[in-house]
Amino acid sequence: DAKTTQPPSMDCAEGRAANLPCNHSTISGNEYVYWYRQIHSQGPQYIIHGLKNNETNEMASLIITEDRKSSTLILPHATLRDTAVYYCIVAAYNTNAGKSTFGDGTTLTVKP
Amino acid sequence: NAGVTQTPKFRVLKTGQSMTLLCAQDMNHEYMYWYRQDPGMGLRLIHYSVGEGTTAKGEVPDGYNVSRLKKQNFLLGLESAAPSQTSVYFCASSYVGDPWDTQYFGPGTRLTVL
């Protein structure tokens, strides 16, 4: 499975959009991009995933570049409760989840 | 519907002691996982199971054993605990079809080995 690279930390002002980047230059054609987040001391929580089209749900939007080598998770109006570690994971659909890893993620701090 | 539960929530062991962590899920998921998370680091997969009666090694399996005798339960054992195993342990479960789309996590077990 492809590896991902994320910045270790980012800050965002409350109410503003938080844009979290992820590089996955070795992604294969059948691999999806998944995003999870982990709020302090809790288990990780699924946010969103996509293949090549942009995706949006009630939590966030996912923008994937045309060459699929990078993506951006967007939290449109960040709140203090969005402070968490955000993980970008690349994995093929319907493959054993035991083959992919979380990595170290990006620590997002939302400031008042 | 409790989701994924873990027992115990906290535990302190002395070096060389043994213990078993229990993970239970009520979502009829086929896949189950055990991760560890050291301070300031991401999650690392210890062992996982793709169905009742099956187990497989993950990224950091040494020093741990697992069993999946029932579909809803996944046990993680430490036969002889070491200080290096001090960590937070998370259990997760997911469906077969798209495991990364549906991976649900438990609240974690905080283990300290003295």
Side-chain angles (χ1 to χ4, degrees), chain A residues 8-85:
Chain A
S9 63
M10 294 182 65
D11 292 341
C12 177
E14 187 178 20
R16 305 296 293 269
N19 299 298
L20 292 97
C22 180
N23 286 322
H24 31 79
S25 59
T26 61
I27 192 169
S28 299
N30 65 338
E31 289 182 319
Y32 285 70
V33 181
Y34 298 84
W35 283 84
Y36 277 69
R37 74 178 182 183
Q38 185 177 24
I39 295 172
H40 179 65
S41 300
Q42 299 179 20
Q45 173 192 27
Y46 165 81
I47 302 173
I48 198 168
H49 75 284
L51 182 63
K52 52 185 175 181
N53 297 322
N54 298 338
E55 302 288 344
T56 296
N57 63 20
E58 65 277 6
M59 290 181 68
S61 295
L62 174 60
I63 308 298
I64 303 174
T65 58
E66 191 169 344
D67 63 7
R68 302 210 321 122
K69 293 184 177 182
S70 65
S71 60
T72 301
L73 178 74
I74 301 173
L75 308 178
H77 305 287
T79 69
L80 298 179
R81 288 176 292 181
D82 292 321
T83 292
V85 179

Side-chain angles (χ1 to χ4, degrees), chain B residues 17-57:
Chain B
Q17 287 185 317
S18 63
M19 78 164 293
T20 300
L21 281 66
L22 170 64
C23 176
Q25 53 94 3
D26 60 2
M27 296 173 284
N28 201 35
H29 284 168
E30 287 293 333
Y31 289 1
M32 295 187 75
Y33 317 84
W34 275 108
Y35 294 88
R36 61 175 288 173
Q37 186 172 35
D38 299 332
M41 297 182 66
L43 284 80
R44 292 184 292 171
L45 183 65
I46 304 171
H47 286 280
Y48 62 97
S49 168
V50 299
E52 183 178 319
T54 73
T55 63
K57 294 180 180 180

Side-chain angles (χ1 to χ4, degrees), chain A residues 32 34 36 38 40-46 49 87 89-105, chain B residues 31 33 35 37 40-43 45 48 50 57-59 90 94 96-108 110:
Chain A
Y32 285 70
Y34 298 84
Y36 277 69
Q38 185 177 24
H40 179 65
S41 300
Q42 299 179 20
Q45 173 192 27
Y46 165 81
H49 75 284
Y87 298 98
I89 300 147
V90 170
Y93 182 84
N94 201 24
T95 59
N96 192 332
K99 294 183 179 178
S100 292
T101 60
F102 274 83
D104 291 332
Chain B
Y31 289 1
Y33 317 84
Y35 294 88
Q37 186 172 35
M41 297 182 66
L43 284 80
L45 183 65
Y48 62 97
V50 299
K57 294 180 180 180
E59 188 181 359
F90 288 101
S94 70
V96 172
D98 188 5
W100 279 106
D101 185 14
T102 58
Q103 197 161 163
Y104 293 89
F105 283 79
R110 283 147 185 79

